[in-house]
Amino acid sequence: MIYDRVLDELGTAVVHGGFGTAAVSIDDLVARTGASRSIVREAVRVLVGLGLLRARRRVGVLALAPSEWDVLDPRVIGWRLSGPDRRAVLDELRALRRAVEPAAAAAAAAADGDAAGLEALLASADHLATAAGAADATAFLQADRALHRAVLDRSGNTLFRRLHGVVERALDERAGIGPDEHDVRLHGALARAVADGDPAAARATMQEIVDRT
């Protein structure tokens, strides 16, 4: 879609430092992208919401500093990963996951009730093992995303749940990489630890999973 292209083009320009430091008009952005004014305005509106741009009447559109960006939004993460700071962004994602996911796994194992959530977690582990057996990297990634989402959901922590998109965007960096046999066993062990109500084992297993990513 033209809108998606424009949003990606302008978002990438801001994050990679190619937007410039001077204010520009909507007409300038129309000329830059070759898109209609309505599409450019919508893209600018979204980027303003993400903290990448500021729009002022009679002044124009101005790129903002990284300190203003919504760095937890998967789109911003993607633009940062495609830039020169990719290694630093990957390190930041790993540090965030190390801080959150083991704690979420322990909380998920300690949680009472939520039979549906536990069923979803176990089903994801089964799907992951099946995909690994079939050497299906795409299906493996989908099951991996579902399993990590299920752990965050079952943790009962609203803030952890809000990190779905961040974790999934980090996991997307494994797209196309074939399933690893040890990783499959670890994910199965994680699901069993949660099902058995063993917070210590769930925490330790998730820690190893994150460290191996």
Side-chain angles (χ1 to χ4, degrees):
M1 292 177 57
I2 296 177
Y3 164 75
D4 293 327
R5 175 185 64 79
V6 171
L7 180 65
D8 188 60
E9 180 179 337
L10 296 181
T12 299
V14 174
V15 172
H16 294 190
F19 197 89
T21 57
V24 298
S25 68
I26 292 296
D27 288 337
D28 291 331
L29 297 180
V30 167
R32 176 174 182 158
T33 62
S36 67
R37 287 177 62 84
S38 61
I39 287 177
V40 169
R41 285 187 180 278
E42 178 60 20
V44 167
R45 185 189 67 78
V46 171
L47 293 171
V48 168
L50 293 174
L52 272 67
L53 297 177
R54 175 178 294 137
R56 290 288 185 269
R57 187 175 299 177
R58 301 190 188 88
V59 174
V61 179
L62 184 70
L64 298 181
S67 58
E68 303 295 326
W69 301 347
D70 182 358
V71 293
L72 293 179
D73 187 279
R75 292 164 294 191
V76 179
I77 292 172
W79 294 326
R80 295 182 70 210
L81 284 170
S82 67
D85 297 329
R86 173 179 171 80
R87 176 52 55 187
V89 177
L90 287 172
D91 289 343
E92 290 173 357
L93 287 170
R94 186 175 296 111
L96 178 64
R97 293 185 62 200
R98 281 175 176 157
V100 170
E101 289 200 87
D112 293 326
D114 189 20
L118 181 58
E119 183 178 344
L121 173 62
L122 295 173
S124 297
D126 288 342
H127 293 158
L128 188 147
T130 299
D136 188 339
T138 299
F140 181 86
L141 176 60
Q142 291 174 342
D144 196 17
R145 286 167 54 113
L147 188 149
H148 285 266
R149 173 182 283 267
V151 170
L152 293 172
D153 281 343
R154 187 172 168 78
S155 73
N157 187 309
T158 303
L159 295 179
F160 288 174
R161 289 171 177 162
R162 292 283 294 175
L163 295 176
H164 281 158
V166 177
V167 172
E168 290 175 1
R169 187 60 187 81
L171 293 174
D172 286 347
E173 291 303 299
R174 292 177 55 90
I177 299 176
D180 179 281
E181 186 174 322
H182 185 56
D183 283 337
V184 174
R185 289 198 297 270
L186 281 174
H187 284 75
L190 171 64
R192 289 192 298 274
V194 173
D196 291 343
D198 188 339
R203 179 188 294 273
T205 305
M206 180 63 90
Q207 184 71 61
E208 185 175 355
I209 289 171
V210 174
D211 286 344
R212 285 175 55 83
T213 301

